[in-house]
Amino acid sequence: MKFWSQYFIPTLKESPADAEIASHKLLIRAGLVRKLGGGLYTYMPLGLRVMQKVTQICREEMERAGGIELQMPHLHPAENWQQGPRWAAAREIMFRADSAGDGKRAPREPEYVLGPTHEEVITPLVKAEITSYRDLPKNFFQIATKFRNEIRPRFGLMRAREFIMMDAYSFDATDDGAIKSYHAMKAAYEAFFRRLGVTAIAVEADTGVMGGSFSHEFMVPAEIGDDDVIYNEESGYAANREKATSALVPADLKDAAPAGALEEFATPGVVTIAALEAAPFSVRGDQQFKTLVYMGDGKPFLVILRGSDELEEAKLGSLGFTVFRPATAEEIEPVMGAKPGSLGTVKGSIKNQSALAGIFADHAIRLVGNGVTGANKDGFHLRNVNVVRDLAVTSFGDFRRVRPGEPDPKSGQPLKVRRGIEVGHIFKLGTKYSEVFGATYTDDQKQNHPMVMGCYGIGISRTVQAVIEQGHDADGIIWPWAVAPFQVLICVLDPQLPEAMDLARKLAAAAEGAGAEVLIDDRAERPGVKFKDADLIGIPLRLTIGGKGLKEGIIELKWRARKDVVKVALAEADAAVAAAVREAGAKA
RNA sequence: CGGGGUGUAGCUUAGCCUGGUAGAGCGCCUGGUUUGGGACCAGGAGGUCGCAGGUUCGAAUCCUGUCGCCCCGACCA
């Protein structure tokens, strides 16, 4: 048991000015964290206890699923990353940690980086240690601090530069085995979030810079989330918007026949979809072709969309470029022959088509059939442009952003959208890393093969905040039993009375005997202060010992999540508290 | 990186437009009265107004720069 007067729980009446959302305000007001700088937080004693609870539950579920815990360095030699497949993309988010301390050396490549994730460390390790199919599969995990130079840290622990993460890496001999490992992790994640008492749903996700073949994110539904989840409850379809698709283009759609000869027309000053929609041209957005120019690994490539559609940039990841970005106007003109606003992909109209890495068309342009696009000549567009006859296309793909209301790819029912906090992510990686690092094994036919990998992450510190975001009211936090920093709070309203403190110790012993951790509020504060603080820090079960109750021969028992107060006779108090603790513990 | 906002005591902030001794509430310290939902009275400590320049007789206030923090965006040609 801990005594509040000797512990350290600095609560605040008012929210700090830099906190916007409820969970961030409560983290600070309840004394769980304090900020050092942007995206950097100290876990205060109470916050640390919660973090340790979540960590331990995570560890148990990972071990139950066959995970083996280890701990890798936070400081990584830059060579590991330079050898890996994503140095160019990952270095932007990595902090460098050079050994040069005098500040006199010229800027150059970093010697060390602070680890944002550990594929580049675990894969060489496994390459060195495992060479036989007999030693596979293996799944290693750690729970440790990660460093990422987020462009914009925000919302407290929600997006921090330094945060706690569980990361796991599976190595299998076969693709089937890797899929099995993947599903074992998915089940472990579900068990983990269930034990925490938070709702987290698995949604299909983009693999991003991580690469790999398929992936799920675990999302806690919350308005303040960073991600849009596209879903339909009935069919069970759920995907991150970055990945989501719809049945907008019917599978049996026939390509439109040409509607007439190509025709150039003057559009002076018209450089936007909207301007072309307006009089005198009046070409609807869904009758226009939009041509975007990107740079992929240094070479330009084109993306064609309907004028009314938006690019979902993350989907360009499927094209295989390590890094890509929108091209600048200076890069566009020499290739296309015109400035942005007059671009198109009609065969023969691109000034220097051989410079392109490809022309990638969204499926939905087939719905246009015949439409209008830029002529690659400033101030001119072309009409009667037929997708099949006229457009130069390397390949078709899914590049557009799905909108709510479009038909669900599973059932055809309208899709909905809601915000979510990404608390976990699992990837089937395949052999991307094992091939680069040479992590191979020998099978029973003496043949060598690259191991098939998966990687898995849970944002532990972010999850803590998601728990608060999901469990609070106007008065404060409402901790689920499993993650509460203490399960029982004993409010001693008159701590100067020896019999009150004796009773508190006795009840604490009873609660501890039943498996709870107990905090005793023995501060010389007025009752109102204690009750307000109790609600704020959100301990699930509160026992109140007051002079009034002692005269009556009772104590009070109150659940943080409920309004009602139960009076218990002193003679039965021990047993009642123990029973309440056991019941809550069994449910958690 | 672009845009917007903001920086005054440990916290929340007023004052800035219109330059003239820096104010309040919470918290903290002392004493007293209180004691079942953030008490009251009296007294007290605590601020080079983010930092650096500039304008001025005089700058928290006006100007320039810089740094931190917060929010939005970072793609639509």
Side-chain angles (χ1 to χ4, degrees):
Chain A
M1 69 189 77
K2 285 242 184 316
F3 292 90
W4 193 316
S5 67
Q6 287 152 54
Y7 202 48
F8 190 60
I9 309 174
T11 58
L12 260 34
K13 271 191 195 176
E14 289 175 288
S15 299
D18 57 12
E20 289 264 315
I21 64 170
S23 54
H24 186 193
K25 289 177 183 170
L26 289 171
L27 273 172
I28 294 167
R29 285 192 56 211
L32 300 167
V33 303
R34 286 294 183 262
K35 184 169 73 177
L36 173 64
L40 301 172
Y41 290 86
T42 296
Y43 300 115
M44 302 292 274
L46 216 53
L48 181 62
R49 290 183 73 98
V50 175
M51 207 67 68
Q52 287 167 339
K53 288 275 157 54
V54 175
T55 299
Q56 183 54 27
I57 292 170
C58 184
R59 175 175 292 123
E60 287 170 16
E61 292 306 324
M62 290 304 293
E63 290 190 332
R64 196 197 305 277
I68 304 164
E69 187 169 10
L70 47 60
Q71 185 98 231
M72 291 177 267
H74 295 124
L75 206 52
H76 300 177
E79 295 83 61
N80 282 57
W81 285 84
Q82 285 156 1
Q83 285 163 25
R86 54 175 170 173
W87 168 240
R91 62 185 304 179
E92 289 174 31
I93 62 148
M94 291 197 287
F95 288 103
R96 48 188 291 172
D98 298 346
S99 58
D102 59 7
K104 288 175 186 162
R105 288 201 201 176
R108 51 173 191 161
E109 290 294 289
E111 293 176 339
Y112 296 97
V113 293
L114 289 173
T117 172
H118 282 69
E119 284 77 10
E120 277 77 355
V121 175
I122 191 85
T123 313
L125 177 78
V126 168
K127 168 199 161 57
E129 303 298 332
I130 298 181
T131 50
S132 162
Y133 74 99
R134 295 175 193 273
D135 292 327
L136 296 175
K138 282 280 182 287
N139 187 343
F140 298 103
F141 78 94
Q142 63 175 351
I143 302 173
T145 302
K146 293 281 181 279
F147 302 87
R148 294 185 189 174
N149 192 11
E150 292 289 344
I151 303 171
R152 184 154 84 86
R154 59 176 179 157
F155 297 155
L157 302 182
M158 204 58 84
R159 189 186 294 182
R161 288 195 167 114
E162 182 182 322
F163 59 98
I164 312 274
M165 179 171 167
M166 187 293 296
D167 47 321
Y169 308 89
S170 66
F171 296 84
D172 276 271
T174 64
D175 203 60
D176 283 354
I179 290 170
K180 213 176 272 177
S181 294
Y182 182 91
H183 284 111
M185 282 297 102
K186 190 157 177 271
Y189 274 40
E190 281 158 359
F192 167 71
F193 289 114
R194 198 165 44 239
R195 277 186 67 188
L196 292 192
V198 296
T199 303
I201 51 172
V203 312
E204 293 176 26
D206 182 63
T207 54
V209 69
M210 193 66 79
S213 40
F214 60 90
S215 162
H216 283 86
E217 282 169 349
F218 284 77
M219 292 282 190
V220 172
E223 278 314 302
I224 53 94
D226 268 348
D227 296 276
D228 284 328
V229 177
I230 304 285
Y231 70 102
N232 181 281
E233 305 98 323
E234 283 154 53
S235 75
Y237 180 79
N240 190 310
R241 194 190 59 193
E242 293 184 345
K243 169 82 176 176
T245 187
S246 73
L248 189 68
V249 182
D252 57 356
L253 178 75
K254 291 206 169 44
D255 284 305
L262 271 178
E263 192 184 341
E264 189 176 280
F265 61 108
T267 50
V270 170
V271 292
T272 63
I273 302 293
L276 206 52
E277 279 186 302
F281 307 106
S282 305
V283 182
R284 282 180 10 217
D286 62 7
Q287 297 300 311
Q288 300 184 37
F289 300 102
K290 176 155 69 182
T291 306
L292 308 178
V293 187
Y294 269 72
M295 300 297 288
D297 297 337
K299 271 188 100 172
F301 67 92
L302 307 183
V303 183
I304 318 172
L305 297 163
R306 293 194 302 176
S308 52
D309 282 337
E310 291 183 58
L311 174 67
E312 185 60 65
E313 202 174 62
K315 290 181 177 178
L316 297 181
S318 67
L319 297 174
F321 299 107
T322 306
V323 286
F324 53 84
R325 59 168 173 83
T328 63
E330 293 70 42
E331 289 166 333
I332 291 170
E333 204 170 350
V335 178
M336 302 300 289
K339 294 189 181 70
S342 304
L343 305 182
T345 54
V346 169
K347 291 169 188 164
S349 74
I350 300 170
K351 189 175 172 189
N352 185 8
Q353 193 171 331
S354 60
L356 294 172
I359 302 173
F360 306 99
D362 184 79
H363 294 299
I365 67 164
R366 295 174 58 220
L367 293 168
V368 179
N370 294 283
V372 170
T373 194
N376 291 327
K377 208 164 125 188
D378 289 337
F380 290 90
H381 280 74
L382 294 165
R383 62 165 71 99
N384 296 331
V385 176
N386 180 272
V387 172
V388 176
R389 182 190 66 186
D390 302 318
L391 292 183
V393 173
T394 308
S395 62
F396 281 84
D398 177 23
F399 304 113
R400 63 185 291 278
R401 175 173 293 181
V402 166
R403 290 195 183 87
E406 289 177 10
D408 173 355
K410 277 191 171 177
S411 67
Q413 293 301 302
L415 288 167
K416 296 183 197 166
V417 64
R418 74 183 300 182
R419 304 285 284 174
I421 301 165
E422 182 193 346
V423 287
H425 204 156
I426 56 179
F427 300 85
K428 180 175 173 289
L429 285 176
T431 56
K432 175 176 173 177
Y433 292 86
S434 50
E435 283 179 28
V436 170
F437 286 105
T440 59
Y441 68 95
T442 308
D443 68 12
D444 58 358
Q445 307 295 313
K446 304 179 193 170
Q447 297 295 305
N448 285 340
H449 307 279
M451 298 177 198
V452 187
M453 291 174 59
C455 70
Y456 316 92
I458 291 176
I460 299 289
S461 42
R462 177 181 284 184
T463 297
V464 167
Q465 188 165 347
V467 170
I468 298 173
E469 192 62 35
Q470 206 169 67
H472 71 272
D473 62 16
D475 295 316
I477 301 169
I478 305 172
W479 289 115
W481 188 266
V483 301
F486 295 89
Q487 289 77 49
V488 176
L489 172 66
I490 304 181
C491 276
V492 185
L493 300 186
D494 304 284
Q496 76 284 3
L497 298 178
E499 64 267 37
M501 285 304 294
D502 286 345
L503 179 57
R505 272 186 278 266
K506 195 161 141 274
L507 292 176
E512 285 178 344
E517 293 158 304
V518 182
L519 177 66
I520 299 176
D521 189 353
D522 60 335
R523 294 174 300 166
E525 290 286 351
R526 295 167 59 85
V529 173
K530 296 191 175 199
F531 290 137
K532 286 289 183 188
D533 273 346
D535 289 343
L536 180 59
I537 69 170
I539 306 300
L541 180 58
R542 185 181 89 197
L543 309 177
T544 307
I545 299 173
K548 213 170 77 180
L550 287 178
K551 273 181 205 147
E552 239 183 286
I554 57 117
I555 62 148
E556 290 163 17
L557 189 152
K558 182 185 176 298
W559 296 97
R560 176 63 181 86
R562 298 171 56 119
K563 286 272 170 258
D564 55 312
V565 175
V566 181
K567 294 188 177 185
V568 180
L570 284 180
E572 296 151 29
D574 283 15
V577 168
V581 167
R582 279 201 200 89
E583 194 187 332
K587 267 192 268 177

